[in-house]
Amino acid sequence: QYKMCGGCKGPRYCSVECQKIEWNESHSKSCKQEFMRNQINLKKWLNNNTRMIQDFISNSDNYNIKHVILEVD
């Protein structure tokens, strides 16, 4: 199973050694930019889908689903 970058969740690596090589060669430069782009996209998605999420939570009969969703910030 490939491991993904912990920062931007982008590239997947077959080993820690490969990740270190890629980090030193190029990924360190793009990781923070990609992380910030992902955060902006997530905020846009949440803003556009807030009503749908609220409806899902209020209409859900499953306590576990409500609990998990409400705990996510």
Side-chain angles (χ1 to χ4, degrees):
Q1 182 177 341
Y2 293 104
K3 304 293 183 188
M4 72 175 74
C5 173
C8 68
K9 309 295 187 218
R12 304 225 181 324
Y13 302 99
C14 60
S15 67
V16 173
E17 292 79 20
C18 286
Q19 185 176 8
K20 287 179 182 179
I21 292 168
E22 175 70 12
W23 179 262
N24 291 330
E25 288 181 0
S26 64
H27 188 64
S28 62
K29 297 171 188 154
S30 63
C31 184
K32 186 172 183 176
Q33 293 171 343
E34 187 65 28
F35 175 79
M36 294 305 293
R37 190 176 309 120
N38 289 342
Q39 293 298 308
I40 290 168
N41 289 338
L42 176 61
K43 287 179 184 178
K44 286 179 184 177
W45 186 88
L46 288 173
N47 287 337
N48 291 335
N49 293 288
T50 299
R51 184 67 186 157
M52 177 187 68
I53 295 167
Q54 291 170 337
D55 289 345
F56 175 79
I57 293 170
S58 64
N59 294 330
S60 176
D61 292 330
N62 187 333
Y63 171 79
N64 291 331
I65 291 175
K66 284 183 179 180
H67 181 73
V68 169
I69 292 173
L70 293 173
E71 291 296 318
V72 174
D73 196 19

Coordinates of all heavy atoms in Angstrom, one line a residue:
Q1 N 0.8 -1.2 0.0 CA 0.0 0.0 0.0 C 0.9 1.2 0.0 O 1.8 1.3 0.8 CB -0.9 0.0 1.2 CG -1.8 1.2 1.3 CD -2.8 1.1 2.4 OE1 -3.0 0.1 3.0 NE2 -3.3 2.2 2.8
Y2 N 0.6 2.2 -0.9 CA 1.4 3.4 -1.0 C 0.9 4.4 0.1 O -0.2 4.5 0.5 CB 1.2 4.0 -2.4 CG 1.8 3.2 -3.5 CD1 1.0 2.4 -4.3 CD2 3.1 3.1 -3.6 CE1 1.5 1.6 -5.3 CE2 3.7 2.4 -4.6 CZ 2.9 1.6 -5.5 OH 3.5 0.9 -6.4
K3 N 1.9 5.1 0.6 CA 1.7 6.1 1.6 C 1.6 7.5 0.9 O 2.4 7.8 0.1 CB 2.8 6.1 2.7 CG 3.0 4.8 3.3 CD 1.8 4.4 4.2 CE 2.1 3.1 4.9 NZ 1.0 2.6 5.6
M4 N 0.7 8.4 1.4 CA 0.6 9.7 0.8 C 1.3 10.7 1.6 O 1.6 10.5 2.8 CB -0.9 10.1 0.6 CG -1.6 10.4 1.9 SD -3.2 11.0 1.7 CE -4.1 9.5 1.2
C5 N 1.6 11.8 1.0 CA 2.3 12.9 1.7 C 1.3 13.4 2.8 O 0.1 13.6 2.6 CB 2.5 14.1 0.7 SG 3.1 15.6 1.5
G6 N 1.9 13.6 4.0 CA 1.1 14.0 5.1 C 0.7 15.4 5.1 O -0.3 15.8 5.8
G7 N 1.3 16.3 4.3 CA 1.0 17.7 4.2 C -0.1 18.0 3.2 O -1.2 18.3 3.6
C8 N 0.2 17.7 2.0 CA -0.8 18.1 0.9 C -1.7 16.9 0.5 O -2.6 17.1 -0.2 CB -0.1 18.6 -0.3 SG 0.9 17.4 -1.2
K9 N -1.4 15.7 1.0 CA -2.2 14.5 0.6 C -2.1 14.2 -0.9 O -2.9 13.4 -1.4 CB -3.6 14.6 1.1 CG -3.9 15.1 2.5 CD -3.4 14.1 3.5 CE -3.8 14.5 4.9 NZ -2.8 14.2 5.8
G10 N -1.1 14.7 -1.5 CA -1.0 14.5 -3.0 C -0.3 13.3 -3.4 O -0.9 12.2 -3.5
P11 N 1.1 13.4 -3.5 CA 1.8 12.2 -4.1 C 1.8 11.0 -3.1 O 1.6 11.2 -1.9 CB 3.2 12.7 -4.2 CG 3.3 14.0 -3.6 CD 1.9 14.5 -3.3
R12 N 1.9 9.9 -3.7 CA 1.9 8.6 -3.0 C 3.3 8.0 -3.2 O 3.8 8.0 -4.3 CB 0.8 7.7 -3.5 CG -0.6 8.3 -3.4 CD -1.6 7.4 -2.8 NE -2.9 7.7 -2.7 CZ -3.5 8.8 -2.4 NH1 -2.8 9.9 -2.2 NH2 -4.8 9.0 -2.2
Y13 N 3.8 7.4 -2.1 CA 5.2 6.9 -2.1 C 5.2 5.4 -1.7 O 4.4 5.0 -0.9 CB 6.1 7.7 -1.2 CG 6.1 9.1 -1.5 CD1 5.3 10.0 -0.8 CD2 6.9 9.6 -2.6 CE1 5.4 11.4 -1.2 CE2 7.0 10.9 -2.9 CZ 6.2 11.8 -2.2 OH 6.2 13.2 -2.5
C14 N 6.1 4.7 -2.4 CA 6.2 3.2 -2.1 C 7.0 3.0 -0.8 O 6.9 1.9 -0.2 CB 6.8 2.5 -3.2 SG 8.5 3.1 -3.6
S15 N 7.8 4.0 -0.4 CA 8.6 3.8 0.9 C 9.0 5.2 1.4 O 8.9 6.2 0.7 CB 9.9 3.0 0.6 OG 10.7 3.8 -0.3
V16 N 9.4 5.2 2.7 CA 9.9 6.4 3.3 C 11.1 6.9 2.6 O 11.3 8.1 2.4 CB 10.2 6.1 4.8 CG1 10.9 7.4 5.4 CG2 9.0 5.8 5.6
E17 N 12.0 6.0 2.1 CA 13.2 6.4 1.4 C 12.8 7.2 0.1 O 13.4 8.3 -0.2 CB 14.0 5.2 1.0 CG 14.7 4.5 2.2 CD 13.7 3.6 3.0 OE1 12.7 3.2 2.4 OE2 14.0 3.3 4.1
C18 N 11.8 6.7 -0.7 CA 11.4 7.4 -1.9 C 10.8 8.8 -1.5 O 11.0 9.7 -2.3 CB 10.4 6.6 -2.6 SG 11.1 5.2 -3.5
Q19 N 10.1 8.8 -0.4 CA 9.4 10.1 0.0 C 10.5 11.1 0.3 O 10.4 12.3 -0.1 CB 8.5 9.9 1.1 CG 7.8 11.2 1.5 CD 6.8 10.9 2.6 OE1 6.7 9.8 3.2 NE2 5.9 11.9 2.9
K20 N 11.6 10.7 1.0 CA 12.6 11.6 1.4 C 13.4 12.1 0.1 O 13.7 13.3 0.0 CB 13.6 10.9 2.3 CG 13.1 10.7 3.7 CD 14.1 10.0 4.6 CE 13.6 9.8 6.0 NZ 14.5 9.1 6.8
I21 N 13.6 11.2 -0.8 CA 14.3 11.6 -2.1 C 13.5 12.7 -2.8 O 14.0 13.7 -3.2 CB 14.6 10.4 -3.0 CG1 15.6 9.5 -2.3 CG2 15.0 10.8 -4.3 CD1 15.8 8.1 -3.0
E22 N 12.2 12.4 -3.0 CA 11.3 13.3 -3.7 C 11.2 14.6 -2.9 O 11.1 15.7 -3.6 CB 9.9 12.7 -3.9 CG 8.9 13.6 -4.5 CD 9.1 13.9 -5.9 OE1 9.9 13.2 -6.6 OE2 8.4 14.8 -6.5
W23 N 11.1 14.6 -1.6 CA 11.0 15.8 -0.8 C 12.2 16.7 -1.1 O 12.0 17.9 -1.3 CB 10.9 15.5 0.7 CG 10.8 16.7 1.5 CD1 11.8 17.3 2.2 CD2 9.6 17.4 1.8 NE1 11.3 18.4 2.9 CE2 10.0 18.5 2.6 CE3 8.3 17.3 1.4 CZ2 9.0 19.4 3.1 CZ3 7.3 18.3 1.9 CH2 7.7 19.3 2.7
N24 N 13.4 16.1 -1.0 CA 14.6 16.9 -1.2 C 14.7 17.4 -2.6 O 15.3 18.5 -2.8 CB 15.8 16.1 -0.8 CG 15.8 15.9 0.7 OD1 15.4 16.7 1.5 ND2 16.4 14.7 1.1
E25 N 14.3 16.7 -3.6 CA 14.4 17.0 -5.0 C 13.4 18.1 -5.5 O 13.8 19.0 -6.2 CB 14.4 15.8 -5.9 CG 15.6 14.9 -5.8 CD 15.6 13.7 -6.7 OE1 14.6 13.6 -7.4 OE2 16.5 13.0 -6.6
S26 N 12.2 18.0 -5.0 CA 11.2 18.9 -5.6 C 9.9 19.1 -4.7 O 9.4 20.2 -4.7 CB 10.8 18.4 -7.0 OG 10.1 17.2 -6.9
H27 N 9.4 18.1 -4.1 CA 8.1 18.2 -3.4 C 8.1 19.2 -2.3 O 7.0 19.8 -2.1 CB 7.7 16.8 -2.9 CG 6.2 16.9 -2.4 ND1 5.2 17.1 -3.3 CD2 5.7 16.7 -1.2 CE1 4.1 17.1 -2.6 NE2 4.3 16.9 -1.3
S28 N 9.2 19.5 -1.7 CA 9.2 20.5 -0.6 C 8.7 21.8 -1.1 O 8.2 22.6 -0.3 CB 10.5 20.5 0.1 OG 11.5 21.0 -0.8
K29 N 9.0 22.1 -2.3 CA 8.6 23.5 -2.9 C 7.2 23.6 -3.2 O 6.6 24.6 -3.0 CB 9.5 23.7 -4.1 CG 10.9 23.8 -3.9 CD 11.7 23.8 -5.1 CE 13.2 23.7 -4.8 NZ 14.0 23.2 -5.9
S30 N 6.5 22.5 -3.6 CA 5.1 22.5 -4.0 C 4.2 22.1 -2.9 O 3.0 22.4 -3.0 CB 4.9 21.7 -5.2 OG 5.2 20.3 -4.9
C31 N 4.6 21.5 -1.9 CA 3.8 20.9 -0.9 C 2.9 21.9 -0.2 O 1.7 21.8 0.0 CB 4.6 20.1 0.2 SG 3.6 19.2 1.4
K32 N 3.5 23.0 0.3 CA 2.8 24.0 1.1 C 1.7 24.7 0.2 O 0.6 24.9 0.6 CB 3.7 25.1 1.7 CG 3.0 26.0 2.6 CD 3.9 26.9 3.3 CE 3.1 27.8 4.2 NZ 4.0 28.7 5.1
Q33 N 2.1 25.0 -1.1 CA 1.2 25.6 -2.0 C 0.0 24.6 -2.3 O -1.2 25.1 -2.3 CB 1.9 25.9 -3.3 CG 2.9 27.0 -3.2 CD 3.7 27.1 -4.5 OE1 3.7 26.2 -5.3 NE2 4.4 28.2 -4.6
E34 N 0.2 23.4 -2.4 CA -0.8 22.4 -2.7 C -1.7 22.3 -1.4 O -2.9 22.2 -1.5 CB -0.3 21.0 -3.1 CG -1.3 20.0 -3.5 CD -2.0 20.4 -4.8 OE1 -1.5 21.1 -5.6 OE2 -3.2 20.0 -4.9
F35 N -1.1 22.3 -0.3 CA -1.9 22.2 1.0 C -2.8 23.4 1.1 O -4.0 23.2 1.4 CB -0.9 22.2 2.2 CG -1.6 22.2 3.5 CD1 -2.2 21.1 4.1 CD2 -1.7 23.4 4.2 CE1 -2.8 21.1 5.3 CE2 -2.3 23.4 5.4 CZ -2.9 22.3 6.0
M36 N -2.3 24.6 0.8 CA -3.1 25.8 0.9 C -4.3 25.7 -0.1 O -5.4 26.1 0.1 CB -2.3 27.0 0.7 CG -1.3 27.3 1.9 SD -2.1 27.3 3.5 CE -3.0 28.8 3.4
R37 N -4.0 25.3 -1.3 CA -5.0 25.1 -2.4 C -6.1 24.2 -1.9 O -7.3 24.4 -2.1 CB -4.3 24.7 -3.7 CG -5.3 24.7 -4.9 CD -4.6 24.4 -6.2 NE -3.3 25.1 -6.4 CZ -2.1 24.5 -6.5 NH1 -2.0 23.2 -6.5 NH2 -1.1 25.3 -6.7
N38 N -5.7 23.1 -1.3 CA -6.7 22.1 -0.8 C -7.5 22.7 0.3 O -8.8 22.4 0.3 CB -6.0 20.8 -0.3 CG -5.4 20.0 -1.4 OD1 -5.7 20.1 -2.6 ND2 -4.4 19.1 -1.0
Q39 N -7.0 23.5 1.1 CA -7.7 24.1 2.2 C -8.7 25.1 1.6 O -9.9 25.2 2.1 CB -6.8 24.9 3.2 CG -5.9 23.9 4.0 CD -6.7 23.0 4.9 OE1 -7.6 23.4 5.6 NE2 -6.4 21.7 4.7
I40 N -8.3 25.9 0.6 CA -9.2 26.9 0.0 C -10.4 26.1 -0.7 O -11.6 26.5 -0.5 CB -8.5 27.7 -1.0 CG1 -7.5 28.7 -0.2 CG2 -9.4 28.5 -1.9 CD1 -6.5 29.4 -1.0
N41 N -10.1 25.0 -1.4 CA -11.1 24.3 -2.1 C -12.1 23.6 -1.1 O -13.3 23.6 -1.4 CB -10.5 23.2 -3.0 CG -9.8 23.8 -4.2 OD1 -10.1 24.9 -4.6 ND2 -8.9 23.1 -4.8
L42 N -11.6 23.1 0.0 CA -12.4 22.6 1.0 C -13.4 23.6 1.6 O -14.6 23.4 1.8 CB -11.6 21.9 2.2 CG -12.4 21.4 3.3 CD1 -13.3 20.3 2.9 CD2 -11.4 20.9 4.4
K43 N -12.8 24.8 1.9 CA -13.7 25.9 2.4 C -14.8 26.3 1.5 O -15.9 26.5 1.8 CB -12.8 27.1 2.8 CG -12.0 26.9 4.1 CD -11.2 28.1 4.4 CE -10.3 27.8 5.6 NZ -9.4 28.9 5.9
K44 N -14.4 26.4 0.2 CA -15.4 26.7 -0.9 C -16.5 25.6 -0.9 O -17.7 25.9 -1.0 CB -14.7 26.8 -2.2 CG -13.9 28.1 -2.4 CD -13.3 28.1 -3.8 CE -12.4 29.3 -4.0 NZ -11.8 29.3 -5.3
W45 N -16.1 24.3 -0.9 CA -17.0 23.2 -0.9 C -18.0 23.3 0.3 O -19.2 23.1 0.1 CB -16.3 21.9 -1.0 CG -17.3 20.8 -1.2 CD1 -17.7 20.3 -2.4 CD2 -17.9 20.0 -0.2 NE1 -18.6 19.2 -2.2 CE2 -18.7 19.0 -0.8 CE3 -17.9 20.0 1.2 CZ2 -19.5 18.1 -0.1 CZ3 -18.7 19.1 1.9 CH2 -19.5 18.2 1.2
L46 N -17.4 23.5 1.5 CA -18.2 23.6 2.7 C -19.2 24.7 2.6 O -20.4 24.6 3.0 CB -17.4 23.7 3.9 CG -16.6 22.4 4.3 CD1 -15.6 22.7 5.4 CD2 -17.6 21.3 4.7
N47 N -18.7 25.9 2.1 CA -19.6 27.0 2.0 C -20.8 26.8 1.0 O -21.9 27.2 1.3 CB -18.8 28.3 1.6 CG -18.0 28.8 2.7 OD1 -18.2 28.6 3.8 ND2 -16.9 29.6 2.3
N48 N -20.5 26.1 -0.1 CA -21.5 25.8 -1.1 C -22.4 24.7 -0.7 O -23.5 24.6 -1.2 CB -20.8 25.4 -2.4 CG -20.1 26.6 -3.0 OD1 -20.4 27.8 -2.8 ND2 -19.1 26.3 -3.9
N49 N -22.0 23.9 0.3 CA -22.8 22.7 0.6 C -23.3 22.7 2.1 O -23.8 21.7 2.6 CB -22.1 21.4 0.3 CG -21.8 21.2 -1.1 OD1 -22.8 20.9 -1.9 ND2 -20.6 21.5 -1.6
T50 N -23.2 23.8 2.7 CA -23.6 23.9 4.2 C -25.0 23.5 4.4 O -25.3 22.7 5.3 CB -23.4 25.3 4.7 OG1 -22.0 25.7 4.6 CG2 -23.8 25.4 6.2
R51 N -25.9 24.0 3.5 CA -27.4 23.6 3.7 C -27.6 22.1 3.6 O -28.3 21.5 4.3 CB -28.2 24.4 2.7 CG -29.7 24.2 2.9 CD -30.1 24.8 4.2 NE -31.5 24.4 4.4 CZ -32.1 24.4 5.6 NH1 -31.4 24.7 6.7 NH2 -33.3 24.1 5.8
M52 N -26.9 21.5 2.6 CA -27.1 20.1 2.4 C -26.6 19.3 3.6 O -27.2 18.3 4.0 CB -26.3 19.7 1.1 CG -26.4 18.2 0.8 SD -25.3 17.7 -0.5 CE -23.7 18.0 0.2
I53 N -25.5 19.7 4.1 CA -24.9 19.1 5.3 C -25.8 19.2 6.5 O -26.1 18.2 7.2 CB -23.5 19.6 5.6 CG1 -22.5 19.3 4.4 CG2 -22.9 19.1 6.9 CD1 -21.2 20.1 4.5
Q54 N -26.3 20.4 6.7 CA -27.3 20.6 7.8 C -28.5 19.8 7.7 O -29.0 19.2 8.6 CB -27.6 22.1 7.9 CG -26.5 23.0 8.4 CD -26.8 24.5 8.2 OE1 -27.7 24.9 7.4 NE2 -26.1 25.3 9.0
D55 N -29.1 19.7 6.5 CA -30.2 18.9 6.2 C -29.9 17.4 6.5 O -30.7 16.7 7.1 CB -30.7 19.0 4.8 CG -31.4 20.4 4.6 OD1 -31.7 21.1 5.5 OD2 -31.6 20.7 3.4
F56 N -28.8 16.9 6.1 CA -28.4 15.6 6.3 C -28.3 15.2 7.8 O -28.8 14.2 8.2 CB -27.1 15.2 5.6 CG -26.6 13.9 5.9 CD1 -27.1 12.8 5.2 CD2 -25.6 13.7 6.9 CE1 -26.6 11.5 5.5 CE2 -25.1 12.4 7.2 CZ -25.6 11.3 6.5
I57 N -27.7 16.1 8.5 CA -27.6 15.9 10.0 C -28.9 15.9 10.7 O -29.3 15.1 11.5 CB -26.6 17.0 10.6 CG1 -25.2 16.8 10.1 CG2 -26.7 16.9 12.1 CD1 -24.3 17.9 10.5
S58 N -29.8 16.9 10.3 CA -31.1 17.0 11.0 C -32.0 15.9 10.6 O -32.9 15.5 11.4 CB -31.7 18.4 10.7 OG -32.0 18.5 9.3
N59 N -31.9 15.3 9.4 CA -32.8 14.3 9.0 C -32.2 12.9 9.3 O -32.9 11.9 9.0 CB -33.0 14.4 7.5 CG -33.8 15.6 7.1 OD1 -34.6 16.1 7.9 ND2 -33.5 16.2 5.9
S60 N -31.0 12.8 9.8 CA -30.4 11.5 10.1 C -31.0 10.9 11.4 O -31.0 11.5 12.4 CB -28.9 11.6 10.2 OG -28.4 10.4 10.5
D61 N -31.4 9.6 11.3 CA -31.9 8.9 12.5 C -30.7 8.2 13.2 O -30.9 7.6 14.2 CB -32.9 7.9 12.1 CG -34.2 8.5 11.6 OD1 -34.5 9.7 12.1 OD2 -34.9 7.9 10.8
N62 N -29.6 8.2 12.5 CA -28.4 7.4 13.1 C -27.6 8.3 14.0 O -26.9 9.2 13.5 CB -27.6 6.9 11.9 CG -26.5 5.9 12.4 OD1 -26.0 6.0 13.5 ND2 -26.1 5.0 11.5
Y63 N -27.6 8.0 15.3 CA -26.9 8.8 16.2 C -25.4 8.9 15.9 O -24.7 9.9 16.0 CB -27.1 8.3 17.6 CG -26.2 9.0 18.6 CD1 -26.4 10.3 19.1 CD2 -25.0 8.4 19.1 CE1 -25.6 10.9 20.0 CE2 -24.1 9.0 20.0 CZ -24.4 10.2 20.4 OH -23.6 10.8 21.3
N64 N -24.8 7.7 15.5 CA -23.4 7.7 15.2 C -23.0 8.6 14.1 O -22.0 9.2 14.2 CB -23.0 6.2 14.9 CG -23.1 5.3 16.2 OD1 -22.9 5.8 17.3 ND2 -23.3 4.1 15.9
I65 N -23.8 8.7 13.1 CA -23.5 9.6 12.0 C -23.6 11.0 12.4 O -22.7 11.8 12.2 CB -24.5 9.3 10.8 CG1 -24.2 8.0 10.1 CG2 -24.4 10.5 9.8 CD1 -25.2 7.6 9.1
K66 N -24.6 11.3 13.2 CA -24.7 12.7 13.7 C -23.5 13.0 14.6 O -22.9 14.1 14.5 CB -26.0 12.9 14.5 CG -27.2 13.0 13.8 CD -28.4 13.2 14.7 CE -29.7 13.4 14.0 NZ -30.8 13.6 14.9
H67 N -23.1 12.1 15.5 CA -22.0 12.3 16.4 C -20.7 12.6 15.6 O -20.0 13.5 15.9 CB -21.9 11.2 17.3 CG -20.8 11.3 18.3 ND1 -20.9 12.2 19.4 CD2 -19.6 10.7 18.4 CE1 -19.8 12.1 20.1 NE2 -19.0 11.3 19.5
V68 N -20.4 11.7 14.7 CA -19.2 11.9 13.9 C -19.2 13.2 13.1 O -18.2 13.9 13.1 CB -19.0 10.7 12.9 CG1 -17.9 10.9 11.9 CG2 -18.7 9.4 13.7
I69 N -20.3 13.5 12.5 CA -20.3 14.7 11.7 C -20.2 16.0 12.5 O -19.5 16.9 12.2 CB -21.6 14.8 10.8 CG1 -21.5 13.7 9.7 CG2 -21.8 16.1 10.2 CD1 -22.8 13.5 9.0
L70 N -20.9 16.0 13.7 CA -20.8 17.1 14.5 C -19.5 17.3 15.2 O -19.1 18.4 15.6 CB -21.9 17.1 15.6 CG -23.3 17.2 15.0 CD1 -24.3 16.9 16.1 CD2 -23.6 18.5 14.4
E71 N -18.7 16.2 15.3 CA -17.4 16.4 15.9 C -16.3 16.9 14.9 O -15.3 17.4 15.3 CB -16.9 15.0 16.5 CG -17.7 14.5 17.6 CD -17.5 15.4 18.9 OE1 -16.4 15.8 19.1 OE2 -18.5 15.6 19.5
V72 N -16.6 16.8 13.6 CA -15.6 17.3 12.7 C -15.7 18.8 12.6 O -16.8 19.4 12.5 CB -16.0 16.7 11.3 CG1 -15.1 17.3 10.2 CG2 -15.8 15.2 11.3
D73 N -14.6 19.4 12.7 CA -14.5 20.9 12.6 C -14.3 21.4 11.3 O -13.6 20.9 10.5 CB -13.4 21.4 13.6 CG -13.5 22.8 13.9 OD1 -14.7 23.4 13.8 OD2 -12.5 23.4 14.3

